[in-house]
Amino acid sequence: MFKRLIQNLTWDYEFIARGRGILSKEEMDLIVRGDRTKVKHADVIMKPVDATPSKDDMIDLKECSLIVDHVEQMVEWIDQLGRAEIV
């Protein structure tokens, strides 16, 4: 059920990685906030009518949370790298 969300989140990871030096910290943070919002509500919004998420679906949803954590960590790393390059 959440495979497309996983694809979307990993695409955001790639987008931010490729946008290093182009995207501002605020823009990257906006992407992360949007991703967190998607994950927060995915179990209700993406669920087919009258469907019960399977055990695998719930594992995928946890993976989504981990991906967003990694994206957020990358944003912080990129920001710190940018600050170090300025000095």
Side-chain angles (χ1 to χ4, degrees):
M1 179 182 325
F2 303 110
K3 296 294 187 198
R4 287 181 60 201
L5 181 57
I6 290 170
Q7 290 172 337
N8 179 264
L9 297 172
T10 55
W11 188 86
D12 283 352
Y13 186 98
E14 180 181 356
F15 187 84
I16 291 172
R18 289 175 177 251
R20 187 180 64 150
I22 299 167
L23 299 171
S24 70
K25 173 75 162 72
E26 292 77 24
E27 290 169 327
M28 292 184 288
D29 286 341
L30 284 171
I31 293 170
V32 171
R33 280 196 292 274
D35 288 346
R36 288 217 181 275
T37 300
K38 290 175 198 173
V39 172
K40 178 180 178 181
H41 298 289
D43 61 333
V44 175
I45 292 172
M46 298 181 70
K47 179 181 85 162
V49 176
D50 296 329
T52 302
S54 69
K55 182 179 177 182
D56 286 340
D57 290 334
M58 298 315 294
I59 290 170
D60 288 347
L61 192 57
K62 284 185 180 182
E63 182 179 340
C64 289
S65 292
L66 288 172
I67 292 168
V68 177
D69 289 345
H70 291 179
V71 173
E72 186 171 38
Q73 290 168 6
M74 182 182 60
V75 166
E76 294 305 317
W77 180 82
I78 288 172
D79 184 54
Q80 291 303 314
L81 181 65
R83 292 172 193 257
E85 289 176 352
I86 293 171
V87 174

